[in-house]
Amino acid sequence: MTETDAIVMEGISKTFKKAQKPSLYPTDLRIESGSFVTILGASGCGKTTLLKMVNRLYEPSSGKILINGQDIARIAPTKLRRQIGYVIQQTGLFRHMTIEQNVAMVPGILGWDKEKINRRIDDLLNLVGLSPSEFRKRYPGQLSGGQQQRIGLARAMAADPSIMLMDEPFGAIDAINRAALQDEILRIQKQLHKTILFVTHDIMEAMKLGDKVIVMNEGKVQQFARPLDILRHPANEFVRDLVHSDDRLQRLAFVRAKDVMNTEAAVPDPDKEAPEAPENSTLHEILMLLLGGRTDYVQIKDEKNNPVGRVTLKEIRRA
Amino acid sequence: MIAYIENNYLEVITLFLQHIEITVISLAIAVIIALPLGVLLAKNAALAAIIMPVLSVIYTIPSLAMFALLIPVVGLGLEPAIIALVAYSLLILVRNVIAGFRSIDPAVIEAGLGLGLSRWQLFCKIEWVLALPAILGGVRIAAVSIIGIAAIASWINAGGLGVILFQGLNESNTPQIVWGTILVAGMALFVNYFLSVLESLALAKSKGADVK
Ligand SMILES: Nc1ncnc2c1ncn2[C@@H]1O[C@H](COP(=O)(O)OP(=O)(O)OP(=O)(O)O)[C@@H](O)[C@H]1O
Ligand SMILES: [Mg+2]
């Protein structure tokens, strides 16, 4: 146990009552504080089971989980859950309450004063990209699916938890809004340094969002590694089949600029107007920029907008 | 027709109030029993499988037979009437309470628990508001049935508007029979209307609307 681990799982497993076999076989995992970890796997492989043991919606059949060094079995479930944000695909918004009442739920229970709750609601709505004046008094039924999911996110973050659990949060949202929400959650994570465990069965989403990816199959973790490592060094046959793609263009969608960029040529040429892209962009996106621009490279920038490297066709070919 | 009321208005008013009294007391007792019972059964399917058939059987006993059965136990008067009326309305009420709580989207419960609400907070802040329209629907149907069956309870000296009806029948007094019928039906219609307004307000509230 190092101090930088937000979540440590030691031999946790789960066998449901009357089940033939475990939904999760004994598993050890260390989730670094401030990291964005995606959990990838087919339906029924145990992603939700793994996630729900972290906030004790399920109790493990064996093993233990430490959060910031503390055994969660010794923390009252309600207290534990108020420190962990939880977002689910169906949102579970309280439809009889306004948006502000939904978001204020946990702060209210925690007994914050009115003034503080009010400011918090405005901050959170701004954070998730919804105008407070327009949305505070509305009801969930008056929002689009994407907007509802943003509120689900705001509500989960209300008491500023350091850990967020997200179970296929964007699974029911159309492709365009989904991409926007993915960028949004990446931005929020970079800004607030939350530790995020994010379940998905979309490999693109897992690779795009995760600093590291947990690949699961049939109740077992197959590999836990950075996206690029999973791509280049799949741990076994299952992972290889999962990430293997004859479609070169699709493969590029799994690789991020920051993992392959040439950092020696970080400074932009003043006389050329090279297209720019954030370091989390996929090579797929970079290739599009290259094709559309007039330079032979794309300038990569970090979240503070500092130039950190370049990607040319050479890097893309190697990926 | 008018003559009957002119000559008997004091007695009619007394019986009318008595009918309201029987109805209100029976309904109140039934609701007080049905709410916790329904909540319990909504979360415990095994228990529900035992209790619901019992309530159904009670519901099928004809009202005259039920009153006759109660006479040796509690005698005549208000008491057996109220016991019978409570017993009848339990099925409707409990069934609707269960339906109300079971109709809540499981994702809402999961999200509430996931946020760190206790079971009790979940109940007070979320569940009962969402279950209320169905519960009020049950209260409405139960109230209307109680008003009807209470008329028969005057047969065991419980009083109420049934007295007018039974007297009218005995004496073949047609205006009296008509008045008895109008009053019972009128009361039932009014209560039905009033409670259906409450029900639709509760429904609007549970779906997200500003209801004052
Ligand atoms: N409450 C439960 N009781 C019994 N079995 C369960 C329960 N929840 C899940 N399971 C079983 O455990 C296994 C893993 O389920 P889990 O919900 O974790 O899968 P998942 O990876 O989240 O799938 P999906 O992508 O469909 O959400 C499945 O075989 C499922 O049937
Ligand atoms: Mg799942």
Side-chain angles (χ1 to χ4, degrees):
Chain A
M1 167 92 218
T2 63
E3 288 195 10
T4 54
D5 287 328
I7 308 170
V8 176
M9 304 182 189
E10 294 178 353
I12 55 155
S13 71
K14 180 72 186 177
T15 307
F16 287 100
K17 250 186 273 169
K18 291 181 193 157
Q20 306 281 330
K21 53 179 187 167
S23 295
L24 185 72
Y25 289 88
T27 299
D28 297 293
L29 281 173
R30 288 167 179 276
I31 310 294
E32 213 175 295
S33 184
S35 65
F36 197 137
V37 173
T38 51
I39 305 175
L40 174 66
S43 184
C45 72
K47 306 181 295 292
T48 298
T49 304
L50 178 69
L51 200 72
K52 281 187 174 180
M53 286 194 281
V54 178
N55 64 358
R56 293 187 65 184
L57 283 175
Y58 291 158
E59 296 294 344
S61 309
S62 73
K64 66 175 176 180
I65 301 180
L66 309 178
I67 277 185
N68 301 322
Q70 232 191 326
D71 186 347
I72 62 168
R74 289 163 206 271
I75 310 174
T78 49
K79 181 157 177 266
L80 175 74
R81 292 172 194 153
R82 286 167 203 167
Q83 305 165 17
I84 299 178
Y86 186 54
V87 184
I88 55 177
Q89 180 176 334
Q90 313 86 325
T91 73
L93 290 183
F94 308 134
R95 59 175 193 179
H96 62 293
M97 294 181 178
T98 57
I99 299 312
E100 59 179 10
Q101 288 170 327
N102 267 278
V103 175
M105 181 54 80
V106 178
I109 290 173
L110 293 174
W112 293 15
D113 66 66
K114 271 222 171 88
E115 195 48 40
K116 188 174 167 195
I117 294 180
N118 251 323
R119 262 181 286 126
R120 187 72 186 145
I121 295 169
D122 283 348
D123 290 349
L124 284 163
L125 291 184
N126 285 322
L127 184 71
V128 299
L130 296 176
S131 139
S133 57
E134 194 182 338
F135 286 94
R136 278 186 73 134
K137 301 285 180 200
R138 288 217 214 163
Y139 287 91
Q142 300 163 329
L143 267 54
S144 74
Q147 290 167 340
Q148 289 185 21
Q149 199 48 269
R150 284 164 197 266
I151 298 303
L153 187 60
R155 182 178 66 174
M157 293 197 301
D160 203 18
S162 64
I163 296 173
M164 302 280 295
L165 307 176
M166 308 182 75
D167 197 344
E168 302 196 36
F170 311 145
I173 290 167
D174 66 273
I176 293 170
N177 278 303
R178 189 171 194 180
L181 276 161
Q182 289 168 346
D183 294 338
E184 211 101 327
I185 188 72
L186 273 176
R187 174 181 62 74
I188 289 170
Q189 202 261 350
K190 288 280 166 301
Q191 192 180 332
L192 303 175
H193 308 290
K194 306 262 181 223
T195 306
I196 300 182
L197 263 184
F198 185 110
V199 167
T200 177
H201 54 233
D202 175 354
I203 183 167
M204 302 272 208
E205 186 169 68
M207 297 295 211
K208 173 178 174 186
L209 297 181
D211 298 321
K212 287 174 102 180
V213 181
I214 297 171
V215 181
M216 288 185 69
N217 187 40
E218 298 192 339
K220 289 180 190 145
V221 172
Q222 306 293 319
Q223 189 166 9
F224 177 33
R226 296 187 312 144
L228 198 63
D229 293 333
I230 287 183
L231 212 56
R232 291 195 173 152
H233 316 288
N236 57 33
E237 205 58 34
F238 177 82
V239 181
R240 188 168 309 124
D241 286 348
L242 185 74
V243 296
H244 176 78
S245 177
D246 293 328
D247 184 346
R248 207 134 172 221
L249 214 49
Q250 168 150 357
R251 243 178 100 86
L252 293 182
F254 301 154
V255 184
R256 276 189 255 164
K258 68 172 176 188
D259 293 324
V260 297
M261 67 190 174
N262 178 2
T263 48
E264 274 150 36
V267 188
D269 292 325
D271 52 326
K272 290 191 187 169
E273 284 187 15
E276 297 174 351
E279 55 183 356
N280 261 322
S281 312
T282 65
L283 289 192
H284 193 269
E285 292 164 326
I286 303 290
L287 183 62
M288 290 310 182
L289 288 173
L290 268 183
L291 293 175
R294 261 170 297 172
T295 53
D296 57 356
Y297 70 93
V298 171
Q299 184 65 48
I300 307 299
K301 299 196 152 183
D302 68 8
E303 69 251 36
K304 294 189 193 77
N305 222 22
N306 298 318
V308 286
R310 288 178 183 186
V311 174
T312 65
L313 265 185
K314 198 172 95 190
E315 278 82 29
I316 293 179
R317 248 186 228 119
R318 266 202 321 228
Chain B
M1 284 291 290
I2 303 295
Y4 171 78
I5 285 292
E6 275 173 359
N7 297 332
N8 301 283
Y9 66 92
L10 271 181
E11 197 201 348
V12 170
I13 287 173
T14 312
L15 293 172
F16 189 84
L17 292 177
Q18 227 171 36
H19 205 93
I20 292 177
E21 187 191 349
I22 301 171
T23 304
V24 169
I25 293 175
S26 309
L27 191 62
I29 295 174
V31 168
I32 288 168
I33 298 172
L35 276 181
L37 187 60
V39 172
L40 181 70
L41 297 190
K43 322 234 156 180
N44 189 333
L47 201 58
I50 300 169
I51 297 202
M52 293 314 286
V54 176
L55 296 182
S56 303
V57 167
I58 294 175
Y59 189 73
T60 59
I61 301 173
S63 46
L64 278 176
M66 170 88 92
F67 292 132
L69 284 172
L70 283 169
I71 292 170
V73 189
V74 280
L76 294 170
L78 199 57
E79 223 172 293
I82 288 175
I83 292 175
L85 292 172
V86 168
Y88 278 126
S89 37
L90 276 184
L91 176 71
I92 300 165
L93 287 170
V94 171
R95 206 171 49 190
N96 276 264
V97 174
I98 293 176
F101 282 93
R102 289 220 180 126
S103 72
I104 299 172
D105 179 0
V108 169
I109 311 274
E110 186 183 328
L113 290 175
L115 287 174
L117 272 67
S118 66
R119 277 277 166 200
W120 179 241
Q121 285 166 333
L122 197 62
F123 182 85
C124 298
K125 290 174 191 282
I126 318 284
E127 288 178 289
W128 84 269
V129 184
L130 299 178
L132 191 61
I135 296 174
L136 282 177
V139 170
R140 179 170 59 82
I141 300 167
V144 170
S145 337
I146 288 177
I147 290 171
I149 301 170
I152 300 168
S154 59
W155 181 67
I156 51 167
N157 294 349
L161 291 169
V163 173
I164 302 177
L165 275 168
F166 280 111
Q167 268 177 12
L169 282 170
N170 276 339
E171 297 160 14
S172 302
N173 181 343
T174 308
Q176 193 174 350
I177 297 172
V178 172
W179 271 110
T181 311
I182 288 174
L183 287 171
V184 173
M187 189 187 290
L189 282 175
F190 173 79
V191 166
N192 185 57
Y193 174 75
F194 175 72
L195 286 172
S196 63
V197 170
L198 282 189
E199 194 181 327
S200 50
L201 285 178
L203 189 64
K205 168 82 195 150
S206 79
K207 287 195 170 155
D210 297 299
V211 174
K212 287 288 162 293

